Amino acid sequence: DTAVSQTPKYLVTQMGNDKSIKCEQNLGHDTMYWYKQDSKKFLKIMFSYNNKELIINETVPNRFSPKSPDKAHLNLHINSLELGDSAVYFCASSQITRGETQYFGPGTRLLVL
Amino acid sequence: SQKIEQNSEALNIQEGKTATLTCNYTNYSPAYLQWYRQDPGRGPVFLLLIRENEKEKRKERLKVTFDTTLKQSLFHITASQPADSATYLCALVVNSGNTPLVFGKGTRLSVIA
């Protein structure tokens, strides 16, 4: 009964490929997020969706495209992968948009070769 | 420029002592401040939230203080145990803008038996 789950856990791929990471939450939350944690462990928000609607889109290359088919799912598609995309990507969810505790998934470790 | 700084990247402490971690911020007006714990290979886990009008919050062996004049939060773990070894992240919820949480880089705590 994992609260926030992500697949895959590890992703190793070549430069230029397109890949997707999936996220699901069973907490009944309205808001979901994608974060990137780089090699220096700095955790930075990329996107936020509330009830399937995009509400935060930080300065992220447009090769990254989130998709929310319903409020329990938020997937991240990355086109034309670059070496600098290597990082750990975390999905999270919260009940409301601001100020609320966030619940994080286990992370997807992406390595671009 | 806006900054969140956690006092040190790593902190070593003897078992049984009190660990004190610091989070300083500049050019933010946080409504809330949260502390998360992150273990290697896992997502952050929420520990405590403190609001701008609260001075102190406690939960079991954990205590958080929030001084909006000094622009600082202190996170204390009393009677520390080796199982407390992890990275601890502070996160601000700011009063303006859409970004729900802004994270510090974290302090890696090691409790030595």
Side-chain angles (χ1 to χ4, degrees), chain B residues 34-90:
Chain B
Q34 300 183 10
W35 284 88
Y36 287 77
R37 170 182 172 144
Q38 186 173 19
D39 290 285
R42 299 193 162 216
V45 175
F46 171 78
L47 295 174
L48 281 167
L49 179 154
I50 188 165
R51 293 179 171 79
E52 60 180 336
N53 60 353
E54 297 175 318
K55 295 291 183 193
E56 183 179 296
K57 238 354 174 2
R58 290 176 186 260
K59 179 182 172 183
E60 297 170 355
R61 293 184 296 111
L62 308 180
K63 184 177 89 170
V64 171
T65 63
F66 192 13
D67 189 327
T68 54
T69 303
L70 291 179
K71 298 187 187 297
Q72 181 182 80
S73 175
L74 299 179
F75 177 79
H76 306 273
I77 306 175
T78 56
S80 58
Q81 304 165 1
D84 295 326
S85 300
T87 296
Y88 291 87
L89 305 166
C90 73

Side-chain angles (χ1 to χ4, degrees), chain A residues 33 35 37 41-43 45 55-56 58 90 97-102 104-106 109, chain B residues 32 34 36 38 41-44 46 49 93-101 103 105:
Chain A
Y33 313 83
Y35 286 85
Q37 189 170 45
K41 306 299 182 188
F42 190 46
L43 193 64
I45 191 161
I55 55 170
I56 292 174
E58 292 294 300
F90 287 101
T97 305
R98 290 182 66 239
E100 189 72 12
T101 301
Q102 293 193 9
F104 284 80
R109 283 138 195 86
Chain B
Y32 308 81
Q34 300 183 10
Y36 287 77
Q38 186 173 19
R42 299 193 162 216
F46 171 78
L49 179 154
V93 179
V94 299
N95 276 322
S96 61
N98 280 323
T99 306
L101 279 182
F103 281 88
K105 283 190 181 181

Side-chain angles (χ1 to χ4, degrees), chain A residues 2-64:
Chain A
T2 307
V4 181
S5 58
Q6 295 178 228
T7 53
K9 188 164 183 179
Y10 299 96
L11 190 49
V12 181
T13 188
Q14 298 287 332
M15 251 185 357
N17 283 350
D18 303 339
K19 290 292 178 187
S20 292
I21 308 172
K22 295 187 176 183
C23 177
E24 177 181 1
Q25 54 96 2
N26 63 6
L27 297 166
H29 287 166
D30 290 333
T31 307
M32 296 184 72
Y33 313 83
W34 278 110
Y35 286 85
K36 179 180 179 180
Q37 189 170 45
D38 59 26
S39 57
K40 294 182 180 175
K41 306 299 182 188
F42 190 46
L43 193 64
K44 189 167 182 187
I45 191 161
M46 300 171 69
F47 301 103
S48 172
Y49 268 73
N50 181 260
N51 270 322
K52 302 193 299 174
E53 186 181 331
L54 180 67
I55 55 170
I56 292 174
N57 184 351
E58 292 294 300
T59 308
V60 175
N62 57 15
R63 297 182 295 103
F64 290 79

